[in-house]
Amino acid sequence: MSVSVGPGKPPPVLAAGALAWREKGGKLQVLLVHRPRYDDWSVPKGKLDKGETFPAAAVREVTEETGYRVRLHRPLPASVYLLPDGRTKIVQYWLGTIRAKVAPGPENAAEIDKVRWVPLAEAEGMVARQGDQVLLQSLRRFAEAGELRTAPVVIQRHGAAVSRSKWRRGEAARPLNSKGKKQAKALPPLLDAFDPGSVVSSPWERCLSTVEPLAKNEGLTVRTKGELTEAGHAEHPSRTEAVIDRVLSEARPTVVCTHRPVLPTVIEAVRRVSRPGAALELPREDPYLAAGEALLLHVTPEGVVVAIERHLPNIG
């Protein structure tokens, strides 16, 4: 998510949070926090640290406020409102599920003094803010549509690379440039928020170098597919398409790293299994994704893409 600021206007306050849910006794419950300063119950959220991405901030803030580490799933409606000092506040939210209990409770009792799992119907009567009501209503709508459980599939374009005109040792060996190396280093804190379980990549150097820091961070082995290279795609685009079709049908948290010339085939494969509203978010023209950019697909167990996001690693 990018934020522009007009001339003479103060920069917006950026924040992120997550509505964590679980099923207990066949009923949906959500995780809420109590703020003693306002004496209200709300969805966990907080401001971004300098250089932090929205997804990373959402995970960190939920951990600090509740003691639970979450994995993010499909995005929820953002809240945008004016603060008393005239600044705009933008809060990006996601649905979340629990990865682990990592602390006994809130880090700062003056900010958050209670944490509670609450049945969804009860939560709708507890939260005071309209923005929180919208989040709960969205969760209920997804549940009723059978689209609450989703897995993230990330289409990752490799980071910025040494230019073709300056490289003489073959395309397979063309490496990342200094910017691309920074992007690769910044990728783990961004994509870790979605808890990827596997990494599939073109075996060419610039793709491998992009995802290797992420794979190391997550304790994963990178699986390579020649069909994801530029040459493999040019020779047999249908085989490239088959790789993407399989990843989407499996609906497991997966990162797929490939090249700009391959993206039209990848995006068309995604379009065919996307809900109409989600398909509108797909890139439509070259270069489709910027170097190092991630196209994040939220896929149901049936292999249907119901939401799409785009993220760039923050390299300052």
Side-chain angles (χ1 to χ4, degrees):
M1 179 177 180
S2 61
V3 179
S4 59
V5 181
K9 292 185 178 181
V13 176
L14 306 180
L19 176 61
W21 65 274
R22 70 181 185 185
E23 281 188 298
K24 192 167 186 180
K27 294 185 178 181
L28 282 175
Q29 296 182 338
V30 295
L31 189 63
L32 299 181
V33 296
H34 183 263
R35 304 184 299 175
R37 179 181 176 185
Y38 304 100
D39 190 23
D40 68 0
W41 289 89
S42 67
V43 175
K45 69 176 186 302
K47 297 176 186 177
L48 272 64
D49 287 341
K50 184 177 180 180
E52 193 173 33
T53 62
F54 281 92
V59 172
R60 176 184 55 77
E61 283 291 340
V62 173
T63 301
E64 292 177 359
E65 293 193 351
T66 70
Y68 289 99
R69 187 181 180 204
V70 297
R71 64 177 62 83
L72 302 184
H73 296 274
R74 64 189 298 176
L76 293 169
S79 291
V80 182
Y81 53 93
L82 284 177
L83 297 171
D85 62 7
R87 291 182 297 168
T88 300
K89 186 168 185 177
I90 302 170
V91 191
Q92 178 65 64
Y93 291 98
W94 285 265
L95 286 178
T97 55
I98 302 302
R99 294 173 74 169
K101 177 77 169 173
V102 296
E107 287 189 2
N108 186 344
E111 293 184 1
I112 303 296
D113 62 350
K114 299 175 188 175
V115 178
R116 185 182 300 174
W117 284 102
V118 182
L120 178 56
E122 183 181 337
E124 290 169 330
M126 288 174 61
V127 299
R129 296 182 62 254
Q130 181 60 33
D132 286 347
Q133 288 284 354
V134 170
L135 304 180
L136 295 173
Q137 291 163 8
S138 296
L139 185 151
R140 181 179 291 280
R141 186 172 68 253
F142 298 151
E144 290 173 349
E147 296 180 353
L148 186 54
R149 297 181 185 276
T150 60
V153 172
V154 181
I155 306 300
Q156 179 70 50
R157 182 181 168 187
H158 65 71
V162 172
S163 68
R164 296 178 193 269
S165 62
K166 294 180 180 179
W167 186 255
R168 297 287 185 266
R169 284 179 260 171
E171 277 298 295
R174 185 156 62 93
L176 298 177
N177 61 22
S178 59
K179 178 181 178 181
K181 292 175 183 177
K182 290 178 182 178
Q183 290 173 324
K185 187 176 180 180
L187 202 59
L190 169 62
L191 295 186
D192 175 74
F194 300 93
D195 195 18
S198 63
V199 181
V200 182
S201 176
S202 156
W204 287 7
E205 173 62 27
R206 51 194 181 276
C207 277
L208 287 177
S209 295
T210 297
V211 295
E212 280 172 346
L214 172 69
K216 183 178 180 180
N217 184 77
E218 303 294 325
L220 302 172
T221 299
V222 179
R223 292 184 291 131
T224 59
K225 294 286 185 180
E227 297 92 335
L228 296 173
T229 66
E230 293 181 27
H233 171 259
E235 187 173 356
H236 295 292
S238 62
R239 294 180 184 177
T240 304
E241 188 177 337
V243 170
I244 302 303
D245 288 344
R246 186 162 57 252
V247 168
L248 293 171
S249 66
E250 289 174 349
R252 296 171 183 167
T254 305
V255 177
V256 179
C257 189
T258 190
H259 308 260
R260 180 191 57 77
V262 184
L263 289 175
T265 294
V266 172
I267 290 169
E268 187 54 37
V270 173
R271 190 183 309 279
R272 287 199 303 272
V273 296
S274 296
R275 290 273 187 264
L280 291 174
E281 302 299 322
L282 285 169
R284 299 182 183 183
E285 58 186 25
D286 191 38
Y288 304 100
L289 296 174
E293 189 173 13
L295 183 69
L296 186 55
L297 317 171
H298 297 277
V299 188
T300 68
E302 295 76 29
V304 178
V305 177
V306 293
I308 294 175
E309 307 175 64
R310 295 172 68 166
H311 293 285
L312 272 169
N314 194 328
I315 60 174

